[in-house]
Amino acid sequence: GAPFVESHETLQAGVACAKFFGVPSLFASANDWIASNLQVATASSLWNFIAEEPLLLHAGADTHEDCADADDACFQFHIHNFRELAGHGGETEDVDKGSPPLHELSTSLMHRLLASGLLDLPTAELTLIVKRFAKAHTTGKPRSEYTALCSSLRPPVVMFNREIRGTLLPQGEVTARSFV
């Protein structure tokens, strides 16, 4: 038959249907679709959706199905495409083109990215990205909230990037599950 989830627009309805009918394999299908359809424009909103839907996080666990780990796929996608997600794509960067996709990401998921220490950006550039992220998430709120958010997303609270991670920890492979 046709795939259960065919587009970003049908994902939410598909998951609602899977919850209503209680069919775990439909969650696995949604996870597979998410993991294979990540793009810069939609990756942050998809990862937020996974984080807010516990049944997607554990899809396949009850049925022992071989399904994609969409949470890990989103984590890896954000690590490898962080600069583009932040709107720092080099010559395509344009301050007036609106909010970059990274600003859609929840603060808890941003914290996971920064806590991993796997981002391969210079400290100065990453600091600027974190400040812009914090500003976007605290617009209209007291300055103290901006300051608190910035502090929670920078060293020593998080590893921040490969540069700092390399000085503190031995080399090794880390996945999204290491920070859950």
Side-chain angles (χ1 to χ4, degrees):
F4 179 63
V5 176
E6 295 179 333
S7 69
H8 187 256
E9 292 77 27
T10 63
L11 180 63
Q12 196 164 12
V15 170
C17 182
K19 283 168 53 174
F20 180 79
F21 290 108
V23 182
S25 63
L26 298 180
F27 290 109
S29 176
N31 260 358
D32 289 340
W33 184 88
I34 291 168
S36 62
N37 288 283
L38 292 171
Q39 299 173 2
V40 170
T42 59
S44 292
S45 63
L46 288 172
W47 200 13
N48 286 334
F49 185 69
I50 292 167
E52 294 168 1
E53 183 52 68
L55 293 172
L56 280 175
L57 283 174
H58 306 293
D62 295 337
T63 61
H64 304 290
E65 285 189 34
D66 183 30
C67 73
D69 183 344
D71 181 63
D72 188 52
C74 288
F75 178 83
Q76 294 299 329
F77 185 88
H78 278 75
I79 292 293
H80 297 299
N81 297 283
F82 192 82
R83 183 173 274 126
E84 293 78 19
L85 288 160
H88 283 245
E91 65 271 352
T92 61
E93 184 176 355
D94 182 4
V95 177
D96 295 329
K97 69 178 179 180
S99 180
L102 187 66
H103 290 184
E104 294 177 31
L105 197 63
S106 72
T107 55
S108 62
L109 293 175
M110 180 67 148
H111 190 272
R112 272 178 63 190
L113 287 171
L114 296 167
S116 74
L118 296 174
L119 295 170
D120 197 13
L121 279 84
T123 300
E125 182 180 356
L126 188 52
T127 299
L128 179 60
I129 291 169
V130 167
K131 286 180 178 179
R132 288 180 180 166
F133 178 86
K135 184 178 180 180
H137 281 261
T138 58
T139 298
K141 297 178 181 174
R143 177 137 177 94
S144 61
E145 288 190 36
Y146 166 80
T147 304
L149 183 55
C150 276
S151 295
S152 74
L153 296 175
R154 296 188 0 209
V157 177
V158 295
M159 287 285 183
F160 209 54
N161 59 11
R162 287 184 186 267
E163 178 184 330
I164 293 171
R165 178 186 175 78
T167 60
L168 298 174
L169 296 175
Q171 297 294 329
E173 186 168 329
V174 180
T175 67
R177 295 287 178 219
S178 304
F179 301 96
V180 178

